[in-house]
Amino acid sequence: MKIATRLTASLIAIVLLMAVVAIVAVWPYSLIVSSNERTTAVDQAALAMLRVNIDVYDFRSRLAAATDSTDRRRLADLAAALDGHFQTDVEQAERLIVSSTPLAHDATIRGALDYVKAEPPYMHARILALAAAGDWPAARLRMATEMPWLVDISSGLVRRIEGEVAREQADAYARAERARQLFVVLLIATLVALLMAIGLAWSTTRAITRPLAVLEAGAHALARGDFHHRIALTGTHEFADLGSAFNYAADRIGELFAERDRVEEQLRQSRADLARVARVTTMSELAAALAHEIRQPITAAMTDVKTSVRWLTRDEPDTGEAKEAAARAIKDITRASDIISRIRSLFKKDDQTREPIDVNDLVDEMVPLLRSEARRYGVSIETELDRALPNVSADRVQVQQVLMNLMLNGIEAMNESTGNLIVASRANGQNVLISVTDSGVGLPGDGAEQVFQAFFTTKPQGTGMGLSISRSIIQSHGGRLWAEANAGGGATFFFTLPAATHVLSE
Amino acid sequence: MSRSAWSVLLLILLTAEGCETRREPAGPVTITFTDSGWRDPATRRRRDDEIRQFTQETGIGVQLVMGGGDAAQPANQRALLEQGTRGADVVSLDATWPGMFADDFIDLKQYVPASEIASHFPPLIANSTVRGRLVSLPRAAIVPLLWYRTDLLREYGYRAPPDTWDELEHMAARIQAGERAKGQPDFWGFVWAGVQSEPLATVALEWQASEGGGTIVDHGTITVNNARAVSSWQRAARWVGSVSPPSVVEYTEPDVSNVWHAGHAAFMRSWPLEFAFDGRGSVPDECVGVAPLPRGAARRAATLGRYGYGVSGRTPHPREAAMFVRFLSRRDVQLKRALEFHVPPSLPDLYDDPRLAAANPHFGAIRKTLIDGVVARPSEAAGKAYPDVSRAYVEAVHAVLTSEKGAPEAAADLEDSLRRLTGLESPRRQ
């Protein structure tokens, strides 16, 4: 059953219970009250009738005295008494009898009372008429025959109503006894009603709190990430609906989380793959330049070695010159070896290892690598490095990749002209700021941000991924990468990396 | 939850069951009943016996509604009848009521077999039948009689009661004079009810009808202003203060009865109900004689009294009420009533029963009256206007009796009044 229906039904049931108790309470009370009213009414009617009967006796003796006296005026004066207190008394009795339930419906009583009310004035009028006609004997006879009937009916009426009083009293006693018994019923009814009300309230409350507790436990489980938690609520009530909705939602969220993890893993893998691809691409671009770079010291070393040989194979070998030439050759070969080892480091697979590094070192390593490539484009590389920089916590290889990417971009941007590529570093609050400034073609008119979009490229053989990947690398280090157009042409690329202390403090 | 709801419902039902108040046991029917003569202990005793017997036989209860008596004018009874719960199921009907209230009572023909109806005195059934409906069933033959003192008649040399009004007047005057001479200054020859109310209508109708002066309304014409009626009233006016006391114009029927039973009169015009007043007065039973009313120049006329019961059209128990009415007019009940309480039966053949004749030697006068000529007040012709007709008639006759008006003048005025009241015409003068 629905909670709303249940609450409404409970409320109605409790109100009904209260009503029943109220009725049960009113019942004995009304029994006693009505019984009292009836008895009192009958009692009063009996008293009033007694008074009427006394009036009738009084009327009889005064009428007898008047007829015996043969005094017409005295007889006529009786009318005043009949119009006065007799009429008042009899009307009072009539009123009380009519308002008394057990008497009002007794046609015999009403008929007899009508007679007692009408007869004295009528009898008086008849007797007065006979007396007026001078027939006192007829008047006395009339009185003698009619008066006993009047007295008989009047007294009978008193007896009849008094009998009713006795019956009513017996009835009242019986009703009081019944009311007393009903009081026990009232107590039981109150108790039963109370217990039922408590039961209803308890069951209704439980019907709400128990499913609520189950739902709460479910919500907590969901918050913990336990997507396998199930709400076990059956029935037709709202909580059961809520429970199944909850279970469905938990299923869906679980699926979504699994999907997210899978996509994230894929993304991470893709990004790593893409970075390597980009790096390889960049490396291949570099290869030619590097070959030249390496060949140069090797050629120099070759020349030196040839010179040394020449010095040794001369007719008079000059070992001093040869030794000097061999030393130069060693120096040149060492330089070539250095270059090779630095290149190798670029091809190392990245494992996302963070270590405190000095950005200036990276620049210092990178500049010689790119110098010959720059020279090919007629570009000179300058550095403006702040030597008092704090270390940054970063993956050396990745930051190298970014720096190399920016510098190569700058060099290529100055393809059509000659110029300077300036790599600068400085502290910027809690960050280290590195900028690469060229005087090349500059940024596209649509805005600096466009160049960071994937597959954006101006180069015929570019992948368009370089800047996009670079930005994601810097962002993964908690830094920012952006570009600005220079006032005098060309563009500057900035990136920040948090200082190591700052990173550690987080 | 639904279990709790059921429990609540059950509790309510149980309580409601307990609340049920005492009901009248749906047992035997009790009908209500108004009757005349309810003040008199002997009549009450007799009726109580009959009600008890009826209830024993049928299981139907009967409650007597007191009321009526002298104060009960037709209008009051009419009101009683119309008061629904206070109106009775079975009602004692005056002879004028069938004509006035025919539509307020049920047609008893649907409950009483025709043979049973036919067994009553035909004049009673005729008076009870209005426009083909039997409005009341007779339970007694209530016709006025001339009561006389057998001892006095013997004493003054009369062998038989008077046969004509003139004889009555004559005998009354003689006996009155004789008795007064014997030292009874309050003795009177003839007493009758002359008070200005309905009984005077019955008396005056007898005077004028027996003289051939009509029955107030005859065959759709008003018959009061004629020489025979006028002379009959004049004769009665002459009695006042001569053979009848001057106060007779204030006498109600009880006064008439009182004076006669006290031994203060030789003749009385009264009802057969007097038989039930066993030895009430100072006149010994053996000195009481009864005869049909004297005849006039034209006929013998006795006005029908209250003789039957009807069933109110408003009764919820018409069948039971009709059963009670049939019971009250039943042969054995009437016989018992006649034997023990001297009530004259409405069944002619009962008068041949030797037991009845033995117990009631005077009942011959009743049968004779019913055969010889009863007269009915014109309630059927006047209908609802009868109380006004009666009032005007009584007023006119009373004015003649008290000499307020001359009889011809009173008759002419009455004729005008009745024309107005009924819309009927007087017979064409010849």
Side-chain angles (χ1 to χ4, degrees), chain B residues 67 102 107 139 176 183 185 278 294 337 429:
Chain B
D107 181 4
R139 47 98 196 177
Q176 180 181 310
D278 334 299
R337 199 185 287 147
R429 306 251 180 257

Side-chain angles (χ1 to χ4, degrees), chain A residues 23-319:
Chain A
I23 290 165
V24 172
V26 165
W27 183 16
Y29 174 77
S30 68
L31 262 182
I32 291 170
V33 167
S34 78
S35 162
N36 249 342
E37 279 170 1
R38 280 169 70 107
T39 313
T40 309
V42 178
D43 225 22
Q44 283 179 343
L47 263 177
M49 194 55 226
L50 204 58
R51 210 172 302 126
V52 170
N53 199 37
I54 290 166
D55 290 343
V56 167
Y57 276 90
D58 182 47
F59 171 64
R60 181 176 69 169
S61 56
R62 290 170 70 174
L63 192 64
T67 47
D68 285 347
S69 72
T70 64
D71 180 347
R72 249 169 63 188
R73 185 178 296 162
R74 194 169 160 188
L75 189 62
D77 287 347
L78 267 177
L82 287 173
D83 287 345
H85 69 268
F86 177 74
Q87 281 304 316
T88 316
D89 287 351
V90 82
E91 275 162 17
Q92 166 82 353
E94 200 173 22
R95 236 185 341 269
L96 288 167
I97 284 170
V98 168
S99 64
S100 158
T101 317
L103 301 176
H105 300 302
D106 191 327
T108 306
I109 290 179
R110 293 295 303 277
L113 189 70
D114 285 347
Y115 166 72
V116 172
K117 183 182 178 183
E119 183 64 8
Y122 178 68
M123 196 194 298
H124 178 253
R126 293 317 320 151
I127 287 173
L128 193 61
L130 291 172
D135 197 343
W136 286 99
R140 274 192 292 275
L141 283 170
R142 172 107 192 185
M143 156 137 189
T145 51
E146 305 268 312
M147 192 55 93
W149 291 344
L150 172 62
V151 169
D152 181 37
I153 301 282
S154 173
S155 304
L157 208 44
V158 171
R159 279 195 301 277
R160 168 82 181 77
I161 296 174
E162 276 175 348
E164 199 62 51
V165 170
R167 197 163 28 254
E168 278 304 317
Q169 277 169 349
D171 253 27
Y173 179 78
R175 272 193 225 104
E177 183 60 24
R178 191 134 173 268
R180 202 180 60 76
Q181 290 164 357
L182 283 177
F183 189 70
V184 178
V185 175
L186 169 63
L187 275 181
I188 293 167
T190 311
L191 209 64
V192 168
L194 198 64
L195 285 175
M196 286 174 75
I198 289 169
L200 277 174
W202 183 78
S203 79
T204 307
T205 310
R206 251 189 78 73
I208 297 167
T209 53
R210 205 181 52 81
L212 269 182
V214 172
L215 284 173
E216 192 187 6
H220 280 304
L222 201 59
R224 275 198 311 274
D226 178 2
F227 300 118
H228 299 294
H229 186 94
R230 284 290 167 274
I231 303 284
L233 287 174
T234 53
T236 56
H237 51 77
E238 291 91 331
F239 285 119
D241 296 347
L242 199 57
S244 42
F246 187 95
N247 289 340
Y248 178 73
D251 280 349
R252 294 291 303 136
I253 292 170
E255 282 169 20
L256 284 174
F257 264 77
E259 177 70 11
R260 193 203 65 168
D261 287 351
R262 204 174 53 75
V263 168
E264 219 168 44
E265 175 57 30
Q266 259 177 7
L267 193 63
R268 205 184 54 76
Q269 190 63 50
S270 302
R271 198 188 284 142
D273 290 350
L274 203 59
R276 200 156 54 243
V277 167
R279 198 157 59 240
V280 169
T281 310
T282 314
M283 290 306 152
S284 68
E285 274 176 42
L286 263 177
L290 290 175
H292 177 71
E293 192 76 10
I294 295 165
R295 203 176 58 205
Q296 209 184 11
I298 289 174
T299 309
M302 189 78 84
T303 310
D304 290 336
V305 171
K306 278 178 184 168
T307 306
S308 178
V309 168
R310 227 173 15 246
W311 283 111
L312 287 174
T313 57
R314 241 169 45 163
D315 296 339
E316 358 173 310
D318 187 341
T319 56

